[in-house]
Amino acid sequence: MDRRIKASRDQEKRLAREIGGTTTAGSGNGWAVKNDVRNQAWSIECKTTSAARFSLTHKDLINAERNALLDLRDMAFAVDMQGRTWVVLSKETFLRLIEREEDT
């Protein structure tokens, strides 16, 4: 198996385990559920790179957000890069999470 495909699958499996969710079989080629990992609340698009940079476009974020909304979940975009995972959220989602934290 190509090492890039293996790294991508490993990322998805690891993240699914960490959030108590599942990976989405055929997420890149199916018509139903599109983002790579999901649980009760989140739909997450995953990308991985061995490079020191990753190009994240507005179109990527909008597609991931639309797919999450169709699945009635919040969207996150996870990028594995240089041994760390970075998670991108919309400002609205981020503020909602902060508000929930302050309420507890």
Side-chain angles (χ1 to χ4, degrees):
M1 176 184 304
D2 182 293
R3 67 176 176 75
R4 292 173 297 174
I5 293 171
K6 182 175 178 353
S8 178
R9 287 184 181 165
D10 289 347
Q11 176 201 23
E12 292 171 14
K13 288 177 188 175
R14 184 178 63 253
L15 185 57
R17 187 174 53 251
E18 290 170 344
I19 67 165
T22 59
T23 59
T24 306
S27 60
N29 61 15
W31 61 268
V33 178
K34 288 290 207 175
N35 292 339
D36 299 306
V37 174
R38 59 194 280 217
N39 67 10
Q40 291 283 335
W42 294 92
S43 176
I44 305 168
E45 180 66 17
C46 297
K47 299 294 180 190
T48 185
T49 182
S50 59
R53 69 172 125 201
F54 177 80
S55 179
L56 180 58
T57 67
H58 181 256
K59 182 180 177 182
D60 293 334
L61 292 168
I62 293 301
N63 284 338
E65 183 177 56
R66 183 185 68 241
N67 293 331
L69 289 172
L70 290 171
D71 208 21
L72 303 175
R73 288 169 170 74
D74 283 319
M75 181 278 288
F77 201 104
V79 180
D80 275 15
M81 181 172 41
Q82 300 288 297
R84 284 185 77 183
T85 301
W86 301 90
V87 179
V88 179
L89 306 170
S90 71
K91 178 179 161 186
E92 295 83 8
T93 301
F94 178 69
L95 292 174
R96 202 168 57 249
L97 290 172
I98 289 175
E99 186 177 300
R100 283 184 206 156
E101 185 176 296
E102 290 173 351
D103 289 342
T104 58

